[in-house]
Amino acid sequence: MNRALVILSMGMAAIGAPLAAQTPPAPPAAEAPDPDRVEEARELLDLVLPPERRETMMMQMIEPSMANVEQGLMESPQFMDAMREDPAMQQMFVELLQRQRVATRELMAASLPGLIDAMSRAYARRFTVRQLRDMQDFFESDTGQAYLAEAPAIMADPDVGAWQRNLTVQSMAMMESEIEALMAHVEHRAPGPATNRPVTSSNLDAMRGGGEPDAAGVDEQPAEQE
């Protein structure tokens, strides 16, 4: 795997982050919430995320984040250097982004029912029936409706976008530094015959364009002399 492919893999991990951020990790096992609270929470979510507009609203929040991260990635010196090293990789990256957007939309659409179920239980564990009804009253007010109309577009705001792009550039620089430090550490380990180098060193050479490791992931040993 050459350096351009390593940078590309890092970039794809960064681009996938906005989707992952929408769905937090599962909390530790907890008791089932009160059914009345769950029902009230579901009514609140139906108001905040109307079923007929749910998928569109979620994508309005996710797609700007993905676009901001993509642009920040393209502007990072590390990524631009990698693309210059392997111009064909740039076209591959563009095509990959197109596939990723389609896959993200399909994944979100398929996962939404489960997300709403999970959020209903999460709300029910944290808010009383009275509090949930107060929230419904707010979101039914003029101010609440204005919030619901504009909230999905917040991630597309120029200031938020600039922050995300800058964060991506800084993140890529940090990851590049970590990779370089790791390479330097592996290369300066105790010297020995090339055939006895650790597996990590052999694979590292392949990543940096110095050859391919064998099928077993280790350097081929010389034939035993008769």
Side-chain angles (χ1 to χ4, degrees):
M1 182 184 294
N2 61 26
R3 181 173 178 273
L5 192 52
V6 172
I7 297 294
L8 178 60
S9 299
M10 291 162 52
M12 288 312 302
I15 289 170
L19 177 59
Q22 302 299 319
T23 309
E31 294 183 6
D34 179 77
D36 291 339
R37 290 191 184 191
V38 174
E39 183 61 29
E40 205 68 43
R42 187 174 294 278
E43 290 182 13
L44 172 63
L45 289 170
D46 283 346
L47 178 62
V48 174
L49 294 169
E52 68 277 8
R53 297 179 52 222
R54 192 166 286 166
E55 181 180 346
T56 299
M57 293 176 70
M58 292 298 293
M59 292 310 300
Q60 283 178 328
M61 290 185 281
I62 293 172
E63 287 186 336
S65 295
M66 292 182 65
N68 290 330
V69 173
E70 289 170 11
Q71 186 172 346
L73 174 63
M74 298 293 287
E75 292 173 357
S76 69
Q78 295 77 18
F79 189 82
M80 290 189 291
D81 288 346
M83 293 303 99
R84 279 193 290 269
E85 290 178 12
D86 190 349
M89 191 70 69
Q90 186 167 5
Q91 181 58 35
M92 291 173 58
F93 180 69
V94 171
E95 294 172 354
L96 195 153
L97 288 181
Q98 294 172 345
R99 294 194 300 271
Q100 181 72 10
R101 285 181 176 273
V102 172
T104 297
R105 180 177 289 277
E106 293 175 348
L107 177 61
M108 177 55 68
S111 302
L112 269 177
L115 176 61
I116 297 302
D117 287 342
M119 290 178 66
S120 297
R121 294 191 295 273
Y123 274 55
R125 289 190 180 98
R126 289 160 177 81
F127 305 108
T128 66
V129 169
R130 179 67 267 171
Q131 290 170 327
L132 291 165
R133 288 177 180 170
D134 287 345
M135 292 180 203
Q136 290 184 47
D137 290 341
F138 167 73
F139 285 118
E140 288 174 342
S141 70
D142 291 342
T143 301
Q145 288 295 303
Y147 171 81
L148 292 178
E150 295 298 330
I154 294 298
M155 299 310 295
D157 184 87
D159 284 341
V160 176
W163 175 84
Q164 283 190 316
R165 292 190 295 274
N166 182 59
L167 184 65
T168 301
V169 171
Q170 293 183 58
S171 178
M172 290 295 294
M174 291 171 61
M175 286 191 286
E176 176 76 357
S177 297
E178 289 294 329
I179 288 178
E180 292 298 331
L182 177 62
M183 289 180 172
H185 173 73
V186 172
E187 289 177 340
H188 288 87
R189 293 180 69 177
T195 55
N196 292 326
R197 287 180 302 171
V199 173
T200 51
S201 179
S202 175
N203 288 335
L204 181 60
D205 286 344
M207 288 174 62
R208 302 187 68 180
E212 295 291 337
D214 62 22
V218 297
D219 293 330
E220 185 176 333
Q221 300 294 326
E224 185 176 344
Q225 296 293 327
E226 294 183 0

